[in-house]
Amino acid sequence: MGLVRLLLPLPRAAARLGPGPGRRLLGAALTRCLAPDWVLLRPPPPERRLAWAEEATAVYRALAGREDARPRDRDLLARALVWHAYTLVLVDRCEQACAVLDASTAVPGARWPPAQRALLLHLRAQARYGLARPDDALGPAGECVAAYRRLVPARRERSLGGLPGALRTYALVLAALDRTEESVAAYEECAGLLRAMSVRELSRATLVRVRVLCELTAGLVELGRHEQALSVGREAREAADAVMVRVAPEIVRPLRVRLFTDLARCLEVTGDPSAARATAEEAVTEARTLVPGRATALRERTAGQPLLVMALDCLADRLRETGCLARELKIRREAVELSAGLAAEWPAVHEPLHAVCLERLADCHRAAGDRRGAVRAEERAVAAYRRAADRDPTAQEPQLARVLEDLSLLRQDDGDHGGAVGDAREAVVLTRRLAGADRTAHHVLTARRLRVLGRALRGAGDPGAAVACCTQSESILTDASEGPGAGRYEASLAATRTGLALALDGEARAHLADGRADDAVAALRSLLALTRRTDGTRVHARCVTVFAHARAEYGESVVPAWTRATGQGFPTFVYRPSGAVDGERPPGGN
């Protein structure tokens, strides 16, 4: 191919001198320049290949439009259009690629050899995948795999692709549709085919091998098959070596960053934290090579920053596991700064990433005991999610509700109960609205956020409103527990009932302190009823405590009020709980 590129001026001159044979020679030379070559021969820039493809298309269009056109000229025009689409996919102009592929099938009288049709299906799948239309890409991706299974390409057709490349595209589409197990199966078949190839066969498929092994590692990690992921990941690491980095750095370096982060997580899970941390450091070092200095154009600088943010997050997680909070905090702050720059440049794409980085920073502050720093970071995360939800409410409003809940809990721990009430109330309102559209996904979440709101109201000195919130939460969870999978809600229901007991305790004490014995009795009766419908130790202990307190401190008023309301004597108990029960904080955010 290199020699043909050097000699292109000769067929161009021949095309000017002899419009028929000269153009056919030029078209053949340009098509030869477009075909993939041996991997160690650095390919020309995609923009140059696109220019050659456009020139080849123009040459064959002129030939096919002549009065003395041969049937072969129409075949070659259809093929040139396919190569044009191939170069458009290389430069991410997938909408145009789809249009060019449609034009290729519309060439009148063109004949389609099986290898050519398989390549067309492959490119159609890639273009639709590039347009984030995996549902539309699935059909041609599957047909392409089936076509290549039936095909034994002749030597001159091998540049048109093969089954390994088709399987990789099919696996990518399946992964985009969250069909991870099927995607991994396709990747494993593809990896098996590549392992069986000779060195000569691999010369044209080495980059496919690197991609497949790295992407297979990621899929195995997602499925939790960490031992297999480590094995495949080590093979991928050998494939993506320094030679491949020099041959195709723009492809291999990003793959290495993702591979190292996946390997770091696998090593952590399989019990080798020191190796996990070292591999995460490698991922950060590799990612920094993708972020040029400040002297370069902004778009060039930000091209590698998402990968650097991912690598920094992975390293920060490993530092958390080894107790290096000070360095983790530094890493988290760098990730926040980088993601803020990305969000400023492309807010629609990177605002959610910035919000996630801020959440992780808040977690780090909280682990270090800096509650104020945690609150500030979480407030910024809420603001970022608000901006993201304005652009994409379907995807981001559930995240906004979740982070509002977290911010409410942080404010409660920091003593800002008024702010906590506002955040929790907004989270409840937002989750109720989401549950109206998708009850299955959000109805039980409403119960959790009502419990958080109840805790905030209790801290703000409004136990009556807290009782109302916890009662609604209990009702939702009780209904959910009656259906299939009831055991999933046992812990949440126990936490809600503990919160309700605390709220009823506070309400009863407040009424007794204000001299409203009848209202206090109503709260005490509700607490006693709660105790009888649950066997929770904390609920029972809370009931014993408040009844003992009411009798000891306000017996002259509360005992007659109880008798008037129930016609029975005030309950007595056989033991008193230790004082530690009264001040403990039960699980579940209460």
Side-chain angles (χ1 to χ4, degrees):
M1 183 171 74
L3 181 61
V4 176
R5 289 185 224 164
L6 293 174
L7 297 177
L8 269 179
L10 295 178
R12 285 192 177 115
R16 288 192 296 271
L17 295 174
R23 284 178 179 171
R24 292 186 180 93
L25 177 63
L26 176 58
L30 290 167
T31 303
R32 179 70 185 88
C33 290
L34 294 171
D37 208 343
W38 191 42
V39 69
L40 294 181
L41 291 179
R42 190 171 180 83
E47 293 77 12
R48 185 180 300 174
R49 297 171 88 171
L50 178 59
W52 288 338
E54 290 171 346
E55 185 179 359
T57 300
V59 166
Y60 283 121
R61 199 182 295 280
L63 285 169
R66 290 163 56 97
E67 291 184 2
D68 59 344
R70 305 172 183 173
R72 174 71 174 159
D73 293 333
R74 288 190 288 272
D75 299 344
L76 292 172
L77 173 59
R79 179 176 179 176
L81 286 166
V82 171
W83 281 116
H84 188 189
Y86 167 77
T87 57
L88 287 167
V89 170
L90 286 179
V91 295
D92 292 325
R93 288 161 60 176
C94 296
E95 194 73 53
Q96 288 177 263
C98 289
V100 171
L101 288 170
D102 291 339
S104 70
T105 58
V107 174
R111 293 165 294 185
W112 287 90
Q116 188 77 14
R117 185 167 293 281
L119 176 62
L120 182 140
L121 289 168
H122 193 178
L123 291 173
R124 195 181 298 280
Q126 287 183 324
R128 291 177 180 177
Y129 174 80
L131 291 170
R133 290 161 46 190
D135 289 308
D136 294 336
L138 183 61
E143 291 176 44
C144 173
V145 169
Y148 276 119
R149 287 192 197 282
R150 297 189 298 267
L151 183 64
V152 180
R155 183 173 180 178
R156 61 186 176 82
E157 295 175 330
R158 287 174 187 170
S159 64
L160 301 182
L163 182 55
L167 280 168
R168 176 186 174 254
T169 299
Y170 186 48
L172 282 172
V173 173
L174 289 168
L177 294 170
D178 294 325
R179 294 165 59 174
T180 309
E181 291 189 10
E182 296 172 78
S183 173
V184 166
Y187 275 126
E188 288 178 324
E189 182 183 354
C190 184
L193 290 172
L194 292 165
R195 290 186 187 110
M197 285 184 174
S198 66
V199 174
R200 182 176 180 180
E201 290 172 324
L202 270 178
S203 67
R204 294 179 182 273
T206 302
L207 278 175
V208 174
R209 176 171 175 258
V210 173
R211 285 171 162 145
V212 165
L213 292 173
C214 291
E215 290 159 4
L216 173 56
T217 302
L220 291 168
V221 170
E222 189 173 346
L223 292 178
R225 292 158 58 180
H226 296 101
E227 293 289 350
Q228 287 178 269
L230 276 177
S231 176
V232 175
R234 292 187 181 107
E235 186 182 357
R237 184 170 187 148
E238 292 176 4
D241 58 10
V243 173
M244 293 306 303
V245 170
R246 286 195 293 272
V247 169
E250 69 286 350
I251 295 173
V252 178
R253 283 197 185 278
L255 289 172
R256 281 167 61 90
V257 175
R258 295 187 179 95
L259 175 65
F260 292 160
T261 56
D262 287 331
L263 287 175
R265 293 188 177 98
C266 288
L267 289 164
E268 185 74 47
V269 171
T270 54
D272 194 347
S274 60
R277 177 172 169 177
T279 307
E281 296 273 12
E282 287 185 88
V284 170
T285 301
E286 192 76 32
R288 291 196 191 282
T289 65
L290 299 172
V291 183
R294 295 186 178 275
T296 56
L298 177 62
R299 289 186 180 273
E300 291 182 33
R301 282 193 283 114
T302 54
Q305 285 183 356
L307 288 173
L308 179 54
V309 171
M310 178 186 70
L312 289 169
D313 182 64
C314 178
L315 176 57
D317 287 344
R318 307 290 79 77
L319 292 168
R320 169 73 64 87
E321 295 296 330
T322 53
C324 301
L325 285 177
R327 186 160 178 234
E328 182 197 350
L329 185 60
K330 181 180 178 182
I331 294 291
R332 297 287 187 200
R333 284 173 173 158
E334 183 182 358
V336 166
E337 181 182 353
L338 287 168
S339 61
L342 289 167
E345 178 68 10
W346 295 292
V349 177
H350 293 298
E351 197 78 70
L353 173 66
H354 182 46
V356 170
C357 290
L358 287 165
E359 283 190 83
R360 302 286 174 82
L361 178 61
D363 289 340
C364 187
H365 280 301
R366 180 164 42 194
D370 182 4
R371 290 181 294 185
R372 292 293 175 86
V375 169
R376 287 194 294 270
E378 202 77 16
E379 286 173 340
R380 292 172 63 193
V382 167
Y385 273 124
R386 285 193 200 283
R387 294 190 293 269
D390 287 342
R391 297 184 186 91
D392 186 2
T394 301
Q396 301 305 327
E397 281 188 346
Q399 306 305 322
L400 176 58
R402 177 183 55 77
V403 79
L404 282 166
E405 175 194 338
D406 292 341
L407 179 56
S408 176
L409 291 169
L410 283 172
R411 289 196 198 277
Q412 291 173 52
D413 291 343
D414 196 39
D416 181 10
H417 296 290
V421 168
D423 294 327
R425 184 168 280 131
E426 184 180 356
V428 168
V429 170
L430 188 53
T431 309
R432 284 191 191 280
R433 189 169 76 241
L434 291 168
D438 187 352
R439 182 181 175 87
T440 303
H442 300 286
H443 191 50
V444 174
L445 284 174
T446 306
R448 173 182 170 83
R449 283 157 194 166
L450 281 165
R451 184 171 75 243
V452 172
L453 176 56
R455 181 178 174 224
L457 289 164
R458 195 172 70 244
D462 192 351
V467 168
C469 286
C470 292
T471 300
Q472 293 178 56
S473 178
E474 183 192 25
S475 176
I476 292 170
L477 290 170
T478 301
D479 291 343
S481 297
E482 293 174 355
R488 292 181 297 169
Y489 307 116
E490 287 182 2
S492 296
L493 187 55
T496 292
R497 284 172 170 164
T498 300
L500 179 55
L502 290 166
L504 288 167
D505 180 347
E507 186 179 36
R509 289 173 188 264
H511 289 322
L512 289 169
D514 292 341
R516 299 194 298 272
D518 291 334
D519 292 336
V521 165
L524 290 170
R525 292 179 68 187
S526 295
L527 181 56
L528 186 59
L530 174 63
T531 305
R532 288 172 176 168
R533 67 176 178 265
T534 181
D535 57 358
T537 303
R538 286 185 173 85
V539 174
H540 185 60
R542 185 62 54 182
C543 183
V544 170
T545 300
V546 70
F547 269 83
H549 170 75
R551 188 181 187 93
E553 301 294 331
Y554 302 96
E556 292 182 358
S557 58
V558 76
V559 170
W562 182 277
T563 302
R564 286 196 304 272
T566 66
Q568 300 174 358
F570 194 80
T572 58
F573 301 94
V574 296
Y575 70 90
R576 290 178 183 274
S578 66
V581 174
D582 192 59
E584 72 176 345
R585 176 178 170 182
N590 293 300

